[in-house]
Amino acid sequence: MRILLIEDDRDLCLAMALSLEKEGYRTDQCHSGPDALLYLEEQVYDCLVLDRMLPGIDGLTVLELIRRKKIHTPVILATALGSLNDRILGLDTGADDYLVKPFAIEELTARIRAVTRRPARLQESPILCFCDLSLDPRTHSLSYQGRTLTLSKRESALLSCFLKHPDQTLPRPMLLSYVWGNDGEVEEGNLDNYIYFLRRRLKALEAPVKLSTLHGVGYRMEGSHG
C-alpha cells in the first residue's frame, strides 16, 4: 500500500514516514500544495495524509482540487486546527477522516486501515462513466448504448484508471504502477499491448471514446467526435 504524506513540517513528515514504513507501508513525502498536485499527477496512491497549513496552496484547496478532478483516493486531514467548525469544513470539503495534532502514530495507522478498507462503501456507486461509456469494476463489464462486453481483470484496471482521469495525460509510470504495482516485474511493452486491447474493445462497442498516444509521455482518454 502506497501513501502520500503532505506535510510542511519536514521532521514530522520524516518521522511519520519512518513509522509507517516499519508497519509495511510505502510512503512518498512532499511539503507544499503545488508539490502534492504534481505527485498526484505522477502516481496513484492508496491514501493521502494531508496537512491543512501548507505553503503555496493550502490543504483544503488541494483537497477541493483533487475531488474536482474525480480523484477519490481516501484522504486523512492531519492538522492542528481541531475546532468543531474546522473538522466539519474538512469533512465537507471531501476528507474521509480528520486527525488532530498531536497524535500517536498508532492512531494514524488505525485510521489509515479504516479508510482503506472501505471498498464496500465505494461499491454503493461503483460505475465509472465517460461519454455514455460505463464500466462496472466489480464485474469488469463495459457497456455502451445497450452493448456490453466483459474485460479481463487488467483491462478493467487500466480502463478504470482512464475513466477516473478523463481528458488528462496519464504518464506511463503511473499506469504501470496502477495496473501491475510497483513491485511487479513488467515489461513496458505490456502496457502498449493492453492499450491495443482496450482500443479494440472500444471499437467493438462503437464508443465515441479514444485512447490517444503522447509519445514518450503516456496516454490520454478523450471523447472522439467523428
Side-chain angles (χ1 to χ4, degrees):
M1 184 177 293
R2 195 177 193 97
I3 298 171
L4 178 61
L5 303 175
I6 309 163
E7 168 62 63
D8 67 336
D9 184 330
R10 293 173 183 262
D11 291 337
L12 174 59
C13 196
L14 179 59
M16 286 194 296
L18 292 174
S19 296
L20 290 172
E21 286 168 6
K22 285 181 181 178
E23 296 292 324
Y25 297 102
R26 292 172 293 174
T27 64
D28 289 333
Q29 305 169 50
C30 64
H31 311 293
S32 73
D35 283 349
L37 296 175
L38 288 175
Y39 270 78
L40 290 165
E41 288 180 0
E42 298 291 332
Q43 177 65 51
V44 175
Y45 292 94
D46 298 290
C47 182
L48 312 180
V49 180
L50 174 64
D51 187 19
R52 277 189 58 174
M53 306 298 288
L54 293 171
I57 303 174
D58 69 89
L60 283 185
T61 302
V62 169
L63 178 57
E64 185 177 7
L65 288 171
I66 66 175
R67 293 308 191 223
R68 279 186 197 168
K69 292 182 178 181
K70 306 301 183 185
I71 298 173
H72 301 297
T73 305
V75 174
I76 300 172
L77 279 175
T79 172
L81 300 174
S83 72
L84 176 61
N85 286 339
D86 285 326
R87 295 196 300 272
I88 291 171
L89 179 58
L91 294 169
D92 282 348
T93 302
D96 296 87
D97 204 347
Y98 200 103
L99 188 57
V100 179
K101 299 176 183 176
F103 51 81
I105 195 66
E106 293 82 1
E107 183 177 6
L108 175 60
T109 55
R111 290 174 184 257
I112 290 171
R113 289 193 298 271
V115 299
T116 56
R117 75 163 71 103
R118 295 178 180 171
R121 191 186 83 173
L122 297 178
Q123 286 178 8
E124 293 171 9
S125 181
I127 307 300
L128 300 170
C129 299
F130 180 63
C131 293
D132 292 330
L133 182 75
S134 63
L135 173 69
D136 186 337
R138 297 171 303 177
T139 63
H140 313 313
S141 296
L142 182 65
S143 301
Y144 177 71
Q145 292 189 347
R147 296 184 290 274
T148 301
L149 49 81
T150 301
L151 305 182
S152 71
K153 183 177 179 180
R154 284 212 166 109
E155 286 174 331
S156 179
L158 182 56
L159 188 58
S160 292
C161 193
F162 284 113
L163 288 169
K164 290 175 182 177
H165 305 87
D167 294 317
Q168 296 181 46
T169 300
L170 304 187
R172 294 179 64 90
M174 174 183 173
L175 293 167
L176 286 165
S177 174
Y178 189 89
V179 178
W180 284 274
N182 292 312
D183 296 331
E185 293 187 6
V186 56
E187 296 181 2
E188 287 254 344
N190 283 10
L191 175 59
D192 303 302
N193 290 338
Y194 275 87
I195 292 291
Y196 172 73
F197 298 155
L198 286 181
R199 284 172 171 159
R200 289 183 62 186
R201 301 286 202 175
L202 294 171
K203 184 177 180 180
L205 290 176
E206 300 180 1
V209 173
K210 64 180 180 179
L211 297 175
S212 299
T213 303
L214 286 86
H215 294 286
V217 180
Y219 294 93
R220 176 194 294 260
M221 171 174 276
E222 301 172 313
S224 58
H225 305 286

